[in-house]
DNA sequence: ATTACTAGTTTCCGAGTAA
DNA sequence: TTTACTCGGAAACTAGTAA
């Protein structure tokens, strides 16, 4: 049986304590009919995942230890999937981009958002990094973590798309990974912005190996 | 549609990269028939949660960004449920137990396990704490976190049940919460074991308020 | 307003078949 | 071996009714 109903009960109240809920309200959470919701509650009780007191104006549900364990087990599986994501680091080689980075970064529409959301004025230009094969899959994981979104804009002539930003450190220098939300944007490169000229401060040039560590929390 | 099939795919391979899997193997994971497994894969593709290349000897499946986001969203819900569990602390008043604690702790069958699994020889006796109302629900959460299990045993005359242990600090003194896996064990008290006499070292007596902080990791 | 049961419909599953 | 189809039976859902 699916854990979805049990999970919704856990979300409805503080796990460990009881929740007062009616079949109708529970149905809304499950996006189903009150009849089905009622049956789900009966089934959960049958499986000893919850205990409940049926009252005239609803019911009072408590998740049992067995039920909590079932949810916990599920949680652990998701931790397995995403756990490694907590410590994300990308490695690759410095390369020369198309020179567009400088142009985009300097645009008013992006510049202000950088200052507001990242807290620094970016050096006009981006450091392009060609990712190692392993880092390419890591980059994919990156895309689903919480990011700082820069919203797109128009300037009359053309439109500029939204961008995902991720705070990161590159050799202890604070900066950010930027990934444009553009279809066909290559998945084997990332661009870094920072308040300083990274090529100078890091003493790197094309072909230098660098490591970018994501800042969490 | 349930996320279970997608979750299983994520568990089968490293998220972000592709997985080679046949319907038959996938069916084993889902505990269903190959036919159903095959249909599930078709459905996931239909919903743009995966892309796949069907080969003569199986298929190669990649979870899309949309699919990863769906899993991530689910993960976050479980984090909501269990997140607070990371920092567990119980408060309550010191009370006098039935004097059984001393007897049980001194039993060979438990004593050795304490030494092996907790790394200290417990002072012969337990500190009983009557939990505050809020801590009672916290205690319920405690029961589902990872614990150090002491296994039950017999001594010819009677059987002694298994016990859950949790490393904890009580006013910076190292010890452990112990909860017997016994039905009808009261849920409003916990017992603490420590290498020293806690009543002395903490200068507490019946009615003193104490805080127990769970040790994590 | 509830919960819970009955009935009718729909969806889903799994065996068999084809490619 | 695969994947993907069809088809009969089982399970689950929704609507309606009763308490």
């Amino acid at each position: 049986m699916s854990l979805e109903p049990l999970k919704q009960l856990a979300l409805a109240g503080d796990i460990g304590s009881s929740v007062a809920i009616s079949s109708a309200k529970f149905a809304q959470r499950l996006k189903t009919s009150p009849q089905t919701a009622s049956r789900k509650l009966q089934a959960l009780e049958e499986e000893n995942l919850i205990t409940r007191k049926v009252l005239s104006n609803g019911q009072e549900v408590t998740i049992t230890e067995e039920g909590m364990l079932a949810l916990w087990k599920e949680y652990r599986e998701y931790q397995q999937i995403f756990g490694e994501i907590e410590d994300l680091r990308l490695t690759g080689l410095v390369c020369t981009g198309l020179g567009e980075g400088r142009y985009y970064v300097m645009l008013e529409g992006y510049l202000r958002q950088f200052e507001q959301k990242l807290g620094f004025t970016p050096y006009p230009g981006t450091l392009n990094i060609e990712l190692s094969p392993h880092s390419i899959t890591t980059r994919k994981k990156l895309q689903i973590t919480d990011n700082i979104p820069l919203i797109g804009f128009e300037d009359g002539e053309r439109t500029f798309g939204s961008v995902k930003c991720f705070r990161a450190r590159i050799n202890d220098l604070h900066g950010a990974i930027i990934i444009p939300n553009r279809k066909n944007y290559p998945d084997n490169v990332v661009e870094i912005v920072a308040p300083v000229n990274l090529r100078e401060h890091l003493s790197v040039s094309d072909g230098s190996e660098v490591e970018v560590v994501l800042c969490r929390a």
Side-chain angles (χ1 to χ4, degrees), chain A residues 183-199:
Chain A
K183 202 135 191 165
N184 301 327
Y185 185 80
D187 66 354
N188 64 330
V189 294
V190 290
E191 293 182 63
I192 312 288
V193 295
V196 297
N197 183 337
L198 287 171
R199 285 179 113 94

Side-chain angles (χ1 to χ4, degrees), chain A residues 6 20-21 39 41 51-52 64-65 75 93 97 136-137 145 152-153 157 160-161 169 175 177 195 208 212:
Chain A
L6 190 59
I21 198 165
R39 255 186 309 104
L41 289 173
T51 57
R52 61 193 185 122
T64 63
E65 189 180 335
Y75 179 44
L93 307 178
I136 293 174
T137 61
T145 62
F153 58 92
E157 291 187 45
F160 298 89
R169 298 199 148 269
I177 298 169
S208 302
V212 182

Side-chain angles (χ1 to χ4, degrees), chain A residues 44-45 48-53 60-64:
Chain A
L44 287 172
E45 188 179 34
N48 293 317
L49 298 175
I50 62 169
T51 57
R52 61 193 185 122
K53 288 177 189 161
E60 198 175 299
V61 175
T62 309
I63 298 177
T64 63

Side-chain angles (χ1 to χ4, degrees), chain A residues 1 15 29 34 37 44 82-83 97 103 133 136 163 169 173 193 212:
Chain A
M1 146 127 192
I15 197 170
R29 277 193 166 272
L44 287 172
F82 291 112
Y103 168 66
I136 293 174
V163 176
R169 298 199 148 269
L173 280 176
V193 295
V212 182

Side-chain angles (χ1 to χ4, degrees), chain A residues 24-66:
Chain A
K25 289 232 176 89
F26 192 42
Q28 290 181 339
R29 277 193 166 272
L30 292 183
K31 287 168 185 164
T32 183
S33 66
Q35 293 90 334
T36 297
S38 176
R39 255 186 309 104
K40 293 290 185 192
L41 289 173
Q42 291 174 51
L44 287 172
E45 188 179 34
E46 188 67 29
E47 295 180 80
N48 293 317
L49 298 175
I50 62 169
T51 57
R52 61 193 185 122
K53 288 177 189 161
V54 179
L55 310 168
S56 54
N57 62 333
Q59 37 197 306
E60 198 175 299
V61 175
T62 309
I63 298 177
T64 63
E65 189 180 335
E66 194 177 337

